[in-house]
Amino acid sequence: GTALDSRSIDMLVVLRSVKSAYSRVRHMGTAIKVELHSHTRDDPDDAIRHSALELVDRALALGFGALAITLHDRYFGDPDVIACARGRGLTLIPAVELTIEGRHILLVHFPAAAGQVVGFDGLRRLKQDHPAGLVIAPHPWFPLGRSLGERLMEQHATLWDAVEINGFYTRTLDFNRRAWQWARRRGLPLVGNCDVHQLDQLGTTFSMVDVEGDATADAVCAAIRGGRVRVESRPLSHVRAAQIAARALVAKFLSRPQ
């Protein structure tokens, strides 16, 4: 009768609610800590002290589940390092920080040919040919570091899969604010990165990514592209920011040809 139908409907609602709650809890359990902008001593542009394996060690110690090494204009996809990281539970995603028209762009989970891309038209073709990869705009409104800036961000807006929130900021000096606003206006995901040049930079800003299934490179990139990512970040103290900047300037000076 009507009472039985009503009870059945109530039970169905309860079951669906339980299933939905279980699904959310299970999904939350797949969130992994991710850094997609880091450098090692293999970088051709900067004098960096740590090796790729030392960076892997540090990432594992801090609980990261995925990492990309993004050398300047040199693709990193060393199969031995990737296999070593995988065996210890860290997904190391091949990547490069490429200079295009004098500006830096992160190319994550593309083949090695990504390191030879020329121009924004070439980047567009790469993205069309390899849709699983991520094109990320790093530190786009920072005044230094070959950042893209307003004009190129707008001109090539359809290229970006995500926009970076960079870990180099303090409570009173933060060049990320425009990136937050621009990405939200465009409906693009934000990713947190530290642009690691010094090992102790890692971990103040990062992404928590909700992957489906195993944390493969495909799964991490698909989750970010789908917006299943949130930025976790804390500002640097002024003293800490000054220390990082001073070390970077010394390293840059020492790396100059004599």
Side-chain angles (χ1 to χ4, degrees):
T2 304
L4 182 60
D5 290 343
S6 178
R7 284 197 297 272
S8 298
I9 291 171
D10 289 344
M11 182 60 71
L12 183 60
V13 169
V14 169
L15 288 173
R16 284 177 174 171
S17 297
V18 170
K19 182 179 179 182
S20 176
Y22 173 74
S23 176
R24 287 196 300 271
V25 169
R26 185 178 60 178
H27 192 63
M28 287 171 62
T30 62
I32 64 168
K33 194 173 178 180
V34 176
E35 167 69 58
L36 297 177
H37 191 177
S38 64
H39 301 265
T40 70
R41 67 168 61 131
D42 300 307
D43 198 290
D45 282 2
D46 292 321
I48 294 172
R49 299 180 65 180
H50 59 265
S51 68
L53 289 176
E54 287 171 329
L55 181 59
V56 166
D57 287 343
R58 179 68 175 169
L60 285 164
L62 293 175
F64 280 85
L67 171 74
I69 293 176
T70 52
L71 309 179
H72 292 112
D73 298 314
R74 178 180 291 173
Y75 182 84
F76 188 91
D78 187 316
D80 292 334
V81 179
I82 290 173
C84 178
R86 185 188 305 118
R88 299 175 63 193
L90 178 71
T91 298
L92 186 56
I93 306 174
V96 62
E97 183 170 16
L98 195 67
T99 304
I100 293 182
E101 296 185 11
R103 307 299 179 179
H104 285 168
I105 299 168
L106 300 179
L107 304 181
V108 178
H109 192 36
F110 288 98
Q116 280 75 53
V117 166
V118 176
F120 284 99
D121 288 340
L123 179 54
R124 196 165 282 104
R125 286 191 295 271
L126 176 76
K127 183 171 176 170
Q128 290 169 349
D129 292 343
H130 303 281
L134 288 178
V135 179
I136 300 173
H139 45 69
W141 275 275
F142 276 54
L144 301 174
R146 300 186 181 182
S147 303
L148 285 154
E150 184 80 25
R151 181 181 65 82
L152 291 175
M153 286 294 289
E154 288 289 347
Q155 185 177 342
H156 302 288
T158 57
L159 279 175
W160 320 126
D161 294 302
V163 178
E164 178 185 272
I165 297 302
N166 190 282
F168 189 76
Y169 73 100
T170 69
R171 292 191 185 279
T172 57
L173 185 64
D174 185 0
F175 297 109
N176 290 310
R177 293 189 178 111
R178 294 287 299 280
W180 284 101
Q181 296 164 358
W182 193 90
R184 285 173 173 168
R185 190 169 69 248
R186 291 276 183 173
L188 283 175
L190 290 159
V191 291
N193 292 323
C194 279
D195 192 1
V196 179
H197 286 67
Q198 303 159 31
L199 271 184
D200 56 4
Q201 284 182 269
L202 185 63
T204 61
T205 295
F206 53 87
S207 300
M208 291 300 296
V209 181
D210 291 325
V211 298
E212 294 180 352
D214 295 335
T216 63
D218 277 340
V220 171
C221 292
I224 291 172
R225 187 179 298 101
R228 300 193 306 275
V229 56
R230 70 179 186 275
V231 174
E232 297 284 343
S233 184
R234 65 179 186 272
L236 302 172
S237 69
H238 291 94
V239 171
R240 183 76 186 96
Q243 289 173 337
I244 292 171
R247 287 186 201 165
L249 287 172
V250 170
K252 182 67 73 174
F253 176 79
L254 293 177
S255 68
R256 286 165 43 186
Q258 300 299 316

